[in-house]
Amino acid sequence: MSVLMRATEIEGRPVVTLAGEHVGDVKDVVFDSSKGKMLGFTLRSHGFFSAPRKDVLAWSKVASLGRDAVMIREEDALEEEALAAEGISEHHNVLGNQVLTDTGTDLGKVADVIIETGVTAEIVGYEVAASEALATHGEHVLIPLPDTIAVSGEHLMVPAAALEFVSHDLSGFGAAVQDFRAKLRGGSG
Amino acid sequence: MRFREADGRKVVSAESAESIGRIEAYVIDTGARSVSAFRLAKAKGDATFVSWEDIQFGPDAVIVPSSDRLRTARDEAEARAASKDLQPVGKLVLDESGTALGKVGDVEFDPGTGAIVEFDLGDQGTVTADRLIGLGAYAVVVAEAP
């Protein structure tokens, strides 16, 4: 089962082992900016069971990302070293970045990142404070992303066709992402 | 029998007919889903633990054959299990998917065997002990509702 959620919703959520021990809280969501994948979380360590350097939790080690806690199997799921620095960006780094279409229209600034979680965790969209180019100027809207996109950078580029699939809430957004990607795969036809 | 009912219950030596302590904390074997020992208050000396195998849980008192059945904690894990940190009453209950179900109001156990029967979450209902996965300082972790 896959679930859509905002990256900021996950921040501060406690990370708990299946043995019931609290190992830390989610500090930030970490992306592979070249592939649009979520790699995991940086943590704010907690309690005397957590060594100070073990501060990264890879998505593959997450047993379940729940409403009230991120569940992991073992405390040693935490990585000794930070994820390789190359091509990694934290969620906070894209907030406020300008989203441009590939035809040069400014859609607004990134307010949040929408993640689809399942076996893998993927960046499927941005929540932006809509620019004048959108009818809903000033409101927050959800813009779908292609399967592969750079998530970081000063400007975030999306295909102009994304405009046709803008949503206003998460409930319909999953379908919008699928339709948008189907259209891109279909090419001009 | 419930933990809140059993709290403070006197433990009496059959040999001397004297009270040798009162139940203060429970050592829970998470894998076996049972109470494996008690830690006693008001016991003389350092030996404050008594194993479930050495007691008889009567309706009005807990009977041990003699006071020499009292012992110290077997290891650090047992000492920690009997500490305030790992007592289940009042603790958050999370299911394995990371959803909070409520807080433990009380724990029902079988006075004949020590087996834990269920966790009572008050208004949030009950969780049967066969769903127990882990008991830590932060939460009681249980399997998702069937």
Side-chain angles (χ1 to χ4, degrees), chain A residues 14 16-22 48-49 63-71, chain B residues 80 85-86 94-100 133-141:
Chain A
V16 181
T17 65
L18 290 178
E21 301 295 344
H22 185 193
F48 53 82
F49 287 101
S64 179
L65 174 50
R67 192 186 68 197
D68 302 297
V70 178
M71 306 303 293
Chain B
R80 182 161 182 264
D85 272 1
L86 293 195
L94 282 174
D95 75 12
E96 59 189 323
S97 80
T99 302
I133 294 173
L135 168 58
Y138 185 79
V140 178
V141 180

Short mmCIF file of all heavy atoms in Angstrom, two decimals, chain A residues 14 16-22 48-49 63-71, chain B residues 80 85-86 94-100 133-141:
data_model
loop_
_atom_site.label_atom_id
_atom_site.label_comp_id
_atom_site.label_asym_id
_atom_site.label_seq_id
_atom_site.Cartn_x
_atom_site.Cartn_y
_atom_site.Cartn_z
N PRO A 14 8.59 10.75 16.29
CA PRO A 14 9.53 9.89 17.02
C PRO A 14 9.90 8.64 16.22
O PRO A 14 9.07 8.12 15.48
CB PRO A 14 8.78 9.52 18.30
CG PRO A 14 7.34 9.71 17.97
CD PRO A 14 7.27 10.81 16.94
N VAL A 16 10.91 4.83 16.73
CA VAL A 16 10.74 3.87 17.81
C VAL A 16 11.04 2.47 17.30
O VAL A 16 10.62 2.10 16.20
CB VAL A 16 9.29 3.94 18.36
CG1 VAL A 16 9.09 2.95 19.51
CG2 VAL A 16 8.94 5.36 18.80
N THR A 17 11.79 1.68 18.08
CA THR A 17 12.05 0.29 17.68
C THR A 17 10.82 -0.55 18.01
O THR A 17 9.98 -0.17 18.82
CB THR A 17 13.24 -0.30 18.45
OG1 THR A 17 12.87 -0.38 19.84
CG2 THR A 17 14.50 0.53 18.30
N LEU A 18 10.75 -1.72 17.38
CA LEU A 18 9.64 -2.63 17.68
C LEU A 18 9.73 -3.12 19.12
O LEU A 18 8.77 -3.65 19.66
CB LEU A 18 9.63 -3.81 16.70
CG LEU A 18 9.21 -3.45 15.26
CD1 LEU A 18 9.29 -4.68 14.36
CD2 LEU A 18 7.82 -2.84 15.21
N ALA A 19 10.90 -2.93 19.76
CA ALA A 19 11.03 -3.26 21.17
C ALA A 19 10.52 -2.13 22.06
O ALA A 19 10.55 -2.24 23.29
CB ALA A 19 12.48 -3.57 21.51
N GLY A 20 10.04 -1.05 21.44
CA GLY A 20 9.43 0.02 22.23
C GLY A 20 10.38 1.08 22.74
O GLY A 20 10.01 1.87 23.59
N GLU A 21 11.61 1.12 22.18
CA GLU A 21 12.58 2.13 22.63
C GLU A 21 12.62 3.30 21.64
O GLU A 21 12.58 3.11 20.43
CB GLU A 21 13.99 1.52 22.75
CG GLU A 21 14.09 0.36 23.74
CD GLU A 21 13.84 0.75 25.19
OE1 GLU A 21 13.88 1.96 25.52
OE2 GLU A 21 13.61 -0.16 25.99
N HIS A 22 12.71 4.48 22.19
CA HIS A 22 12.74 5.71 21.40
C HIS A 22 14.19 6.04 21.07
O HIS A 22 14.98 6.26 21.98
CB HIS A 22 12.13 6.82 22.28
CG HIS A 22 11.96 8.13 21.61
ND1 HIS A 22 11.69 9.28 22.30
CD2 HIS A 22 12.02 8.50 20.31
CE1 HIS A 22 11.58 10.29 21.47
NE2 HIS A 22 11.77 9.84 20.26
N PHE A 48 20.05 7.78 26.15
CA PHE A 48 21.43 7.34 26.27
C PHE A 48 21.72 6.07 25.48
O PHE A 48 22.82 5.57 25.48
CB PHE A 48 21.83 7.17 27.74
CG PHE A 48 20.91 6.30 28.52
CD1 PHE A 48 21.03 4.92 28.47
CD2 PHE A 48 19.94 6.87 29.34
CE1 PHE A 48 20.18 4.12 29.21
CE2 PHE A 48 19.09 6.07 30.07
CZ PHE A 48 19.21 4.70 30.00
N PHE A 49 20.72 5.54 24.77
CA PHE A 49 21.00 4.37 23.93
C PHE A 49 21.54 4.78 22.57
O PHE A 49 22.03 3.97 21.81
CB PHE A 49 19.74 3.53 23.74
CG PHE A 49 19.38 2.77 24.96
CD1 PHE A 49 18.38 3.23 25.80
CD2 PHE A 49 20.08 1.63 25.30
CE1 PHE A 49 18.07 2.56 26.95
CE2 PHE A 49 19.78 0.95 26.45
CZ PHE A 49 18.77 1.41 27.28
N ALA A 63 10.63 0.12 9.11
CA ALA A 63 9.63 -0.94 9.05
C ALA A 63 8.28 -0.36 8.68
O ALA A 63 7.53 -0.94 7.90
CB ALA A 63 9.55 -1.67 10.38
N SER A 64 7.97 0.80 9.22
CA SER A 64 6.70 1.45 8.90
C SER A 64 6.76 2.93 9.25
O SER A 64 7.26 3.30 10.31
CB SER A 64 5.55 0.78 9.66
OG SER A 64 4.34 1.43 9.36
N LEU A 65 6.27 3.74 8.35
CA LEU A 65 6.18 5.18 8.62
C LEU A 65 4.75 5.46 9.02
O LEU A 65 3.87 5.55 8.18
CB LEU A 65 6.57 5.95 7.35
CG LEU A 65 6.43 7.47 7.35
CD1 LEU A 65 7.09 8.08 8.56
CD2 LEU A 65 7.05 8.04 6.09
N GLY A 66 4.52 5.50 10.31
CA GLY A 66 3.14 5.62 10.80
C GLY A 66 2.76 7.03 11.15
O GLY A 66 3.59 7.94 11.15
N ARG A 67 1.50 7.21 11.45
CA ARG A 67 0.94 8.52 11.79
C ARG A 67 1.59 9.09 13.06
O ARG A 67 1.80 10.27 13.18
CB ARG A 67 -0.56 8.33 12.01
CG ARG A 67 -1.37 9.59 12.10
CD ARG A 67 -2.80 9.23 12.46
NE ARG A 67 -2.88 8.70 13.80
CZ ARG A 67 -3.92 8.02 14.28
NH1 ARG A 67 -4.94 7.75 13.54
NH2 ARG A 67 -3.91 7.58 15.52
N ASP A 68 1.89 8.20 14.01
CA ASP A 68 2.39 8.68 15.30
C ASP A 68 3.85 8.36 15.55
O ASP A 68 4.44 8.89 16.48
CB ASP A 68 1.54 8.08 16.43
CG ASP A 68 0.08 8.44 16.27
OD1 ASP A 68 -0.24 9.63 16.32
OD2 ASP A 68 -0.74 7.53 16.04
N ALA A 69 4.42 7.45 14.76
CA ALA A 69 5.82 7.09 14.96
C ALA A 69 6.39 6.44 13.71
O ALA A 69 5.66 5.86 12.91
CB ALA A 69 5.96 6.13 16.14
N VAL A 70 7.71 6.58 13.55
CA VAL A 70 8.43 5.84 12.51
C VAL A 70 8.97 4.59 13.18
O VAL A 70 9.73 4.68 14.15
CB VAL A 70 9.60 6.68 11.94
CG1 VAL A 70 10.36 5.89 10.89
CG2 VAL A 70 9.08 7.99 11.36
N MET A 71 8.53 3.41 12.72
CA MET A 71 8.93 2.18 13.38
C MET A 71 10.14 1.56 12.68
O MET A 71 10.18 1.48 11.45
CB MET A 71 7.77 1.16 13.36
CG MET A 71 6.46 1.68 13.94
SD MET A 71 6.55 2.28 15.63
CE MET A 71 6.87 0.76 16.52
N ARG B 80 16.48 -3.88 34.80
CA ARG B 80 15.84 -2.82 34.01
C ARG B 80 14.36 -3.14 33.80
O ARG B 80 13.51 -2.24 33.86
CB ARG B 80 16.56 -2.68 32.67
CG ARG B 80 16.00 -1.57 31.82
CD ARG B 80 16.91 -1.08 30.71
NE ARG B 80 16.25 0.03 30.02
CZ ARG B 80 15.53 -0.12 28.91
NH1 ARG B 80 15.42 -1.30 28.33
NH2 ARG B 80 14.92 0.93 28.36
N ASP B 85 10.92 2.49 34.39
CA ASP B 85 10.94 2.70 32.94
C ASP B 85 10.14 1.67 32.16
O ASP B 85 9.60 1.96 31.10
CB ASP B 85 12.38 2.61 32.42
CG ASP B 85 13.08 3.95 32.48
OD1 ASP B 85 12.43 4.90 32.94
OD2 ASP B 85 14.25 4.01 32.09
N LEU B 86 10.16 0.44 32.61
CA LEU B 86 9.55 -0.63 31.82
C LEU B 86 8.27 -1.18 32.44
O LEU B 86 7.81 -2.25 32.05
CB LEU B 86 10.55 -1.76 31.57
CG LEU B 86 11.75 -1.41 30.66
CD1 LEU B 86 12.46 -2.66 30.19
CD2 LEU B 86 11.34 -0.59 29.46
N LEU B 94 1.71 1.60 20.83
CA LEU B 94 1.84 1.82 19.39
C LEU B 94 1.65 0.50 18.68
O LEU B 94 2.13 -0.53 19.16
CB LEU B 94 3.27 2.30 19.06
CG LEU B 94 3.68 3.74 19.32
CD1 LEU B 94 5.18 3.89 19.04
CD2 LEU B 94 2.88 4.70 18.47
N ASP B 95 0.96 0.53 17.53
CA ASP B 95 0.97 -0.71 16.76
C ASP B 95 2.20 -0.70 15.86
O ASP B 95 2.89 0.32 15.75
CB ASP B 95 -0.36 -0.95 16.04
CG ASP B 95 -0.57 -0.08 14.82
OD1 ASP B 95 0.40 0.57 14.38
OD2 ASP B 95 -1.69 -0.03 14.32
N GLU B 96 2.50 -1.83 15.24
CA GLU B 96 3.76 -1.94 14.50
C GLU B 96 3.80 -1.04 13.27
O GLU B 96 4.87 -0.82 12.69
CB GLU B 96 4.03 -3.40 14.11
CG GLU B 96 2.94 -3.99 13.25
CD GLU B 96 3.10 -5.48 13.05
OE1 GLU B 96 4.24 -5.94 12.92
OE2 GLU B 96 2.07 -6.18 13.02
N SER B 97 2.64 -0.53 12.87
CA SER B 97 2.64 0.40 11.74
C SER B 97 2.95 1.82 12.16
O SER B 97 3.10 2.71 11.33
CB SER B 97 1.28 0.35 11.02
OG SER B 97 0.34 1.14 11.73
N GLY B 98 3.03 2.05 13.49
CA GLY B 98 3.36 3.39 13.97
C GLY B 98 2.15 4.25 14.30
O GLY B 98 2.25 5.47 14.33
N THR B 99 1.02 3.61 14.56
CA THR B 99 -0.18 4.34 14.96
C THR B 99 -0.40 4.15 16.46
O THR B 99 -0.35 3.02 16.96
CB THR B 99 -1.42 3.81 14.19
OG1 THR B 99 -1.18 3.96 12.81
CG2 THR B 99 -2.68 4.56 14.58
N ALA B 100 -0.63 5.25 17.17
CA ALA B 100 -0.87 5.17 18.62
C ALA B 100 -2.29 4.67 18.87
O ALA B 100 -3.24 5.14 18.26
CB ALA B 100 -0.67 6.54 19.25
N ILE B 133 4.47 -7.25 20.96
CA ILE B 133 5.74 -7.41 20.22
C ILE B 133 6.91 -6.93 21.07
O ILE B 133 7.93 -7.58 21.16
CB ILE B 133 5.69 -6.62 18.89
CG1 ILE B 133 4.65 -7.23 17.95
CG2 ILE B 133 7.07 -6.61 18.23
CD1 ILE B 133 4.42 -6.42 16.69
N GLY B 134 6.77 -5.78 21.69
CA GLY B 134 7.88 -5.23 22.48
C GLY B 134 7.38 -4.34 23.59
O GLY B 134 6.29 -3.77 23.51
N LEU B 135 8.20 -4.24 24.63
CA LEU B 135 7.89 -3.35 25.75
C LEU B 135 9.16 -2.58 26.06
O LEU B 135 10.14 -3.15 26.54
CB LEU B 135 7.44 -4.20 26.95
CG LEU B 135 7.34 -3.49 28.31
CD1 LEU B 135 6.39 -2.31 28.27
CD2 LEU B 135 6.91 -4.47 29.38
N GLY B 136 9.15 -1.30 25.71
CA GLY B 136 10.32 -0.48 25.93
C GLY B 136 9.99 0.72 26.79
O GLY B 136 8.87 0.88 27.26
N ALA B 137 11.01 1.58 26.99
CA ALA B 137 10.80 2.74 27.84
C ALA B 137 9.81 3.72 27.20
O ALA B 137 9.11 4.43 27.90
CB ALA B 137 12.14 3.45 28.08
N TYR B 138 9.72 3.71 25.87
CA TYR B 138 8.85 4.66 25.19
C TYR B 138 7.43 4.14 24.99
O TYR B 138 6.47 4.88 25.13
CB TYR B 138 9.45 5.03 23.83
CG TYR B 138 8.68 6.11 23.09
CD1 TYR B 138 8.84 7.46 23.44
CD2 TYR B 138 7.82 5.80 22.06
CE1 TYR B 138 8.14 8.45 22.78
CE2 TYR B 138 7.12 6.78 21.37
CZ TYR B 138 7.28 8.11 21.74
OH TYR B 138 6.60 9.09 21.08
N ALA B 139 7.33 2.86 24.65
CA ALA B 139 6.01 2.35 24.26
C ALA B 139 5.91 0.84 24.42
O ALA B 139 6.90 0.13 24.45
CB ALA B 139 5.71 2.72 22.81
N VAL B 140 4.66 0.40 24.49
CA VAL B 140 4.33 -1.02 24.31
C VAL B 140 3.99 -1.14 22.82
O VAL B 140 3.13 -0.41 22.33
CB VAL B 140 3.10 -1.42 25.15
CG1 VAL B 140 2.74 -2.88 24.89
CG2 VAL B 140 3.35 -1.18 26.63
N VAL B 141 4.72 -2.00 22.10
CA VAL B 141 4.47 -2.17 20.67
C VAL B 141 3.68 -3.45 20.46
O VAL B 141 4.04 -4.50 20.99
CB VAL B 141 5.78 -2.19 19.85
CG1 VAL B 141 5.49 -2.36 18.37
CG2 VAL B 141 6.57 -0.91 20.09
#
